[in-house]
Amino acid sequence: MTERKQVLDYALTLPGTYIDTPFHDSNWVLVRIRKNKRAFAWTYEMDGSIRVNVKVDPEWRDFWRSAYPSVLPGYHQNKKHWNTVILDGSIPDDVVKRMIAESYDLAGGSKPGGGGK
């Protein structure tokens, strides 16, 4: 994944999600969960690449950061609970999707047949 559209398209496949642009800066496009209005994917462009901030379980936070140089502490967010993923093509698409789906779960989403938190 290297494009914002790819992230947004995937995030919108998760149940009960919608796009929001709550800031006066069109660079920030978020995907939220309708039932609780929590954002789980914050997309923006910075330094020539698209990035997505995802909520992360603190037990996995450092794993993702050490496994991929393109995963950093969450930009403009709590560094304990959020990671920034630079979409430079260095992380396999399925791994990026996993991080987005986990963010969705942590933000309170629930997939069919699953509980959600």
Side-chain angles (χ1 to χ4, degrees):
M1 280 189 186
T2 57
E3 298 176 20
R4 183 189 317 246
K5 183 178 180 342
Q6 293 171 299
V7 170
L8 298 176
D9 286 350
Y10 173 70
L12 289 172
T13 68
L14 300 170
T17 57
Y18 67 99
I19 289 180
D20 191 15
T21 53
F23 309 117
H24 296 289
D25 179 354
S26 61
N27 185 35
W28 288 86
V29 180
L30 286 55
V31 183
R32 294 185 184 269
I33 299 167
R34 191 167 306 283
K35 71 179 180 183
N36 63 17
K37 297 184 172 59
R38 290 185 184 157
F40 66 95
W42 302 58
T43 66
Y44 56 99
E45 184 175 351
M46 185 171 159
D47 297 332
S49 63
I50 297 297
R51 298 172 184 224
V52 59
N53 288 2
V54 292
K55 193 166 182 70
V56 63
D57 185 324
E59 292 182 22
W60 283 90
R61 175 196 62 226
D62 296 329
F63 167 78
W64 291 121
R65 293 177 190 173
S66 63
Y68 298 100
S70 294
V71 177
L72 309 169
Y75 177 71
H76 271 298
Q77 291 182 286
N78 180 308
K79 311 298 186 239
K80 181 177 179 182
H81 296 282
W82 291 86
N83 278 340
T84 293
V85 180
I86 301 171
L87 300 176
D88 60 6
S90 66
I91 303 172
D93 288 0
D94 63 322
V95 174
V96 176
K97 288 177 180 179
R98 177 180 171 182
M99 287 189 267
I100 294 167
E102 288 175 2
S103 182
Y104 170 83
D105 290 342
L106 289 167
S110 58
K111 297 183 196 108
K117 295 179 180 158

